[in-house]
């Protein structure tokens, strides 16, 4: 079991083969040559470490804004360390294991990779955040955290895909993993996990295995995490180690007899069309294997039905005939009544569909 260091003043950070004390951070921040400081991502890492080691017990984080305006939150550093310890223990990581940092540090996922390294003595391997985080990797990390988009891009490139298979513990978060990617990863020899969590829970509070004998479609909560279901069917989280208050999410869930859960969709992603409630994620999940190109299901106001379903796609991405053929496979009330093409589908900073912007774009297009 890993020995954790929770006194921030005694923590160190190992980047590559160099170990730095918290007292070194100020020097690193002021040195133009240290840690390739001309690289913006290295500079943002130094800035985060400086904020982490200051006298405040709190640290500012930002939500991704996938369904609305991004928010600023002040969270306790001690709770971030509790979250880090839960993950390290669950995955069986040990001191001096390598941890791959390849996600932006303005969001909780990137910050938590660093915090795990600080509390457990992991050695950081750094890749500037991009769609192919293993492109220039020279050492295979023991542990990595990626988004579904990063993993999807990686499996398309033979050399990067082989590296992915060698990562001992890979967690994937920040968005849903569609069936096509899930089926690919199911054959891999290493441990691959889908995570469930949010900024307010300081990264994940539940995981599900995507491959191996323990592969499952059900998420298992981490220790000291209690879950329940609201009258509206949404997930309620009681995780006192990481969140000071009980959280009611917008995620509609169902539980099995082992108190594991799976996500049906988001409450705010329900389209009410003519009195029929349609869950956006369920429509997209059925269409993805057929279309295999970027698209977003959304809705626009309709005088007769209240809302009508539309499909957003990018110019020169999908033919109207292909979309209509795919729609024929859906229940009639789930079918998009209109196809709208735009230059680029909106995404949040973490690569999730920007649902709020997609709805605005669709409404503007239909009002022209």
């Amino acid at each position: 079991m890993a020995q954790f260091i929770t006194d921030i003043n005694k923590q160190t950070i190992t980047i590559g083969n160099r170990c730095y004390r918290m007292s070194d951070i100020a020097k690193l921040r002021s040195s133009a040559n240290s840690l390739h400081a001309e690289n913006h991502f290295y500079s943002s890492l130094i800035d985060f470490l400086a904020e982490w080691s200051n006298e405040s017990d709190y640290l500012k984080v930002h939500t991704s804004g996938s369904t609305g305006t991004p928010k600023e939150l002040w969270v306790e550093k001690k709770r971030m360390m509790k979250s880090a310890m839960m993950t390290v223990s669950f995955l069986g990581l040990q001191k001096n294991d390598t941890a791959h940092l390849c996600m932006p540090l303005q969001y909780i996922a990137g910050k938590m990779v660093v915090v795990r390294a600080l509390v457990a003595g992991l050695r950081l391997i750094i890749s500037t955040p991009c769609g192919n985080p293993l492109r220039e990797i020279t050492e295979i990390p023991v542990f990595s955290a990626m988004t579904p988009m990063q993993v999807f891009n990686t499996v398309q490139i033979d050399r990067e895909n082989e590296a992915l298979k060698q990562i001992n513990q890979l967690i994937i978060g920040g968005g849903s993993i569609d069936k096509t990617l899930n089926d690919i990863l199911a054959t891999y020899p290493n441990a691959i996990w889908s995570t469930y969590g949010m900024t307010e829970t300081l990264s994940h509070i539940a995981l599900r295995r995507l491959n191996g004998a323990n592969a499952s479609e059900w998420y298992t909560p981490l220790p000291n995490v209690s879950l329940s279901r609201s009258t509206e069917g949404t997930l309620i989280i009681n995780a006192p180690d990481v969140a000071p208050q009980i959280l009611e999410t917008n995620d509609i869930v169902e539980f099995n007899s082992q108190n594991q859960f799976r996500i049906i969709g988001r409450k705010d992603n329900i389209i009410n069309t003519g009195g029929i409630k349609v869950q956006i994620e369920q429509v997209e999940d059925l269409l993805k294997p057929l279309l295999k190109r970027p698209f977003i299901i959304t809705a626009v106001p309709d005088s007769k039905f209240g809302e009508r379903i539309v499909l957003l796609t990018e110019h020169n991405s999908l033919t109207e005939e292909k979309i209509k053929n795919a729609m024929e496979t859906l229940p009639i009330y789930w079918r998009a009544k209109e196809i709208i093409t735009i230059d680029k589908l909106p995404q949040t900073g973490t690569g999730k569909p920007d649902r709020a912007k997609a709805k605005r774009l669709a409404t503007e297009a239909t009002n022209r």
Side-chain angles (χ1 to χ4, degrees):
M1 180 179 290
Q3 297 296 309
F4 297 117
I5 304 169
T6 57
D7 183 340
I8 292 177
N9 294 320
K10 294 180 180 179
Q11 290 173 347
T12 61
I13 190 74
T14 302
I15 304 170
N17 294 313
R18 295 189 64 182
C19 181
Y20 303 91
R21 299 183 299 273
M22 289 296 105
S23 58
D24 296 328
I25 302 305
K27 298 175 187 176
L28 290 173
R29 202 176 193 185
S30 62
S31 172
N33 297 318
S34 295
L35 282 180
H36 309 285
E38 71 280 358
N39 181 304
H40 175 73
F41 188 55
Y42 280 90
S43 297
S44 67
L45 173 58
I46 296 168
D47 288 343
F48 171 70
L49 291 170
E51 187 179 6
W52 179 258
S53 58
N54 68 21
E55 294 181 356
S56 175
D57 293 330
Y58 292 83
L59 191 139
K60 184 166 64 177
V61 298
H62 296 86
T63 63
S64 65
S66 57
T67 58
T69 305
K71 297 182 296 185
E72 286 186 358
L73 300 173
W74 286 93
V75 299
E76 293 176 270
K77 294 174 183 176
K78 68 178 182 181
R79 293 186 189 276
M80 294 177 74
M81 289 191 281
K82 284 284 186 78
S83 171
M85 289 186 282
M86 288 195 301
T87 299
V88 168
S89 297
F90 183 89
L91 298 178
L93 302 177
Q94 301 295 322
K95 184 178 180 179
N96 295 321
D97 281 347
T98 45
H100 185 208
L101 173 62
C102 61
M103 289 192 286
L105 283 163
Q106 65 261 46
Y107 300 111
I108 194 66
K111 293 181 194 297
M112 287 308 304
V113 173
V114 181
V115 177
R116 293 172 195 129
L118 289 164
V119 299
L122 308 179
R123 181 163 62 87
L124 279 183
I125 297 174
I126 298 172
S127 299
T128 300
C130 66
N132 291 78
L134 299 180
R135 179 182 295 157
E136 298 181 1
I137 204 103
T138 57
E139 180 181 0
I140 306 297
V142 173
F143 163 73
S144 185
M146 299 185 191
T147 66
M149 180 197 71
Q150 288 177 316
V151 176
F152 176 83
N153 291 342
T154 297
V155 302
Q156 313 303 314
I157 311 297
D158 287 345
R159 176 186 170 276
E160 297 171 27
N161 189 33
E162 288 307 309
L164 188 76
K165 293 177 181 178
Q166 296 176 58
I167 296 172
N168 187 258
Q169 298 283 347
L170 172 66
I171 63 174
I172 307 172
S176 61
I177 300 168
D178 69 22
K179 186 178 185 304
T180 301
L181 182 58
N182 202 142
D183 289 347
I184 293 171
L185 298 176
T187 66
Y188 284 26
N190 51 335
I192 305 178
W193 308 86
S194 171
T195 66
Y196 176 85
M198 61 202 72
T199 306
E200 291 85 349
T201 61
L202 309 179
S203 187
H204 50 265
I205 49 87
L207 299 95
R208 69 178 179 93
R209 185 72 182 262
L210 297 181
N211 62 342
N214 295 319
S216 174
E217 61 180 335
W218 300 91
Y219 285 95
T220 300
L222 291 170
N224 206 25
V225 174
S226 299
L227 305 174
S228 57
R229 198 164 173 258
S230 74
T231 55
E232 293 184 299
T234 54
L235 182 67
I236 297 175
I237 301 171
N238 184 7
D241 286 346
V242 297
Q245 298 175 331
I246 294 175
L247 300 169
E248 182 174 342
T249 73
N250 283 322
D251 292 314
I252 297 173
V253 298
E254 61 179 337
F255 286 93
N256 64 15
S257 57
Q258 285 78 48
N259 204 40
Q260 298 170 307
F261 68 96
R262 60 184 175 190
I263 306 295
I264 305 301
R266 287 182 66 86
K267 182 175 70 173
D268 42 9
N269 287 345
I270 292 176
I271 299 170
N272 190 331
T273 178
I276 304 295
K277 292 182 178 179
V278 179
Q279 189 72 51
I280 285 176
E281 292 90 344
Q282 290 182 313
V283 178
E284 290 179 340
D285 287 346
L286 289 174
L287 290 175
K288 280 175 184 176
L290 302 174
L291 298 179
K292 298 181 180 177
R293 300 293 292 172
F295 69 91
I296 294 176
I297 293 293
T298 188
V300 296
D302 186 275
S303 58
K304 180 179 179 180
F305 296 103
E307 291 183 297
R308 70 177 181 275
I309 301 172
V310 299
L311 182 145
L312 282 183
T313 187
E314 296 176 352
H315 292 300
N316 303 317
S317 177
L318 291 165
T319 65
E320 189 169 328
E321 181 182 5
K322 188 172 183 110
I323 294 171
K324 287 181 176 178
N325 288 341
M327 287 293 167
E328 292 294 324
T329 67
L330 301 178
I332 190 166
Y333 291 107
W334 290 22
R335 298 175 190 174
K337 302 298 188 292
E338 188 174 352
I339 300 163
I340 298 172
T341 58
I342 56 178
D343 292 332
K344 189 168 181 61
L345 293 175
Q347 290 186 331
T348 67
T350 56
K352 301 177 187 177
D354 189 329
R355 300 285 184 188
K357 189 173 182 180
K359 194 166 188 174
R360 288 199 304 272
L361 290 172
T363 301
E364 289 168 3
T366 56
N367 289 336
R368 287 178 192 147

